[in-house]
Amino acid sequence: MSQLNELIHQPTRLRIMAALSALGPGTEVEFTYLRDILDLTDGNLGTHLAKLEEAGYVAVRKTFVGRKPRTFVSLTPHGQHAFAEHLAALRAILNPTLVEPNGASPATTDTQPNRKGDKA
Amino acid sequence: MQTEEIRQALVLVDQTSQKVRRALLRDSFAPFAILWGAIWIVGFSTSALFPAAAGILWIALDIVGLVASIIIGNQYSGRVLSPNGLRLFWSWIALAGYAGLVLFVARPLPPLRSSMLLVIIIMAGYVIQGIWLWRGQLIVGLVITAVTLLGGWLLPDYYLWLMALLGGGTLLGTGLYLWIAYRP
């Protein structure tokens, strides 16, 4: 059964997850590139990424190119799954006749926050 | 949770996904199209004006284009690391190698036929990549292929100018359009 994921549902985090998902599996994006596309500040993006990383939804890799530090961000398989589940839950609420491919019933509308790292 | 809130969340996801895809397309395609469009315009028009210098001119332009392509590719791949990016890079290297082999096997060819063959092979790469990634690239490939065939067979006297204006112009125009219209 798909459940809404409160951690992902926050608008900025929803945009981050949507952006990373659109990049495709296995793709890493530089922090500044993601910041520019989403039109966020360094601090704002960093704060939300930290929460998503803590939940295991994104991976953050810090590296150096020459002496310049660079940070790359990617969606983890767990994050991809959680995001897909969250979208399925949203769509199912809008259209309750939708039945998931595995035959499960449509999403619940439980708005209680998920615990950090919960599977959605 | 209100239905309107959910609808807005889904719209936000769609808008963000589309914005990312457009940014990727712009950054991975437009600089190369602008670069090679400009090279074609300079190369073909200068070849029409100074046919005797065409050989050495194209060698110089191709070297400039390859070096610039590698620099642009490195800048882009330094920001977005995709498993498909490296595959695409090697696909184009392979296509360039095979184009060289075809020209070698088919020699001796008149300069006009060599040029047509090379352009058609490169546009085959555009068409195939366009089928997989972006319909616009497919259309660019088909348009330039048509210009090459029609110009080479029906208007050979104007072939170089056609390739400069319509071939190079199509590449440059598409690149500039993507660069401006798909700005995040």
Side-chain angles (χ1 to χ4, degrees), chain B residues 18-43:
Chain B
Q18 191 185 20
K19 194 174 179 184
V20 169
R21 279 193 285 269
R22 286 165 74 107
L24 288 179
L25 182 62
R26 171 184 185 264
D27 295 342
S28 63
F29 183 80
F32 296 103
I34 292 170
L35 170 71
W36 285 101
I39 286 177
W40 280 28
I41 290 172
V42 171

Side-chain angles (χ1 to χ4, degrees), chain A residues 90-108:
Chain A
L90 291 174
R91 291 188 180 117
I93 293 168
L94 279 187
N95 185 357
T97 58
L98 279 177
V99 176
E100 293 175 38
N102 61 6
S105 59
T108 65

Side-chain angles (χ1 to χ4, degrees), chain A residues 17-60:
Chain A
M17 293 295 282
L20 293 175
S21 179
L23 287 167
T27 300
E28 288 184 306
V29 62
E30 197 192 6
F31 181 92
T32 53
Y33 193 77
L34 189 61
R35 177 201 64 194
D36 293 345
I37 287 178
L38 297 176
D39 200 20
L40 296 171
T41 62
D42 284 348
N44 200 0
L45 178 58
T47 303
H48 288 295
L49 279 178
K51 287 183 180 169
L52 292 169
E53 186 185 19
E54 197 179 337
Y57 294 160
V58 302
V60 178

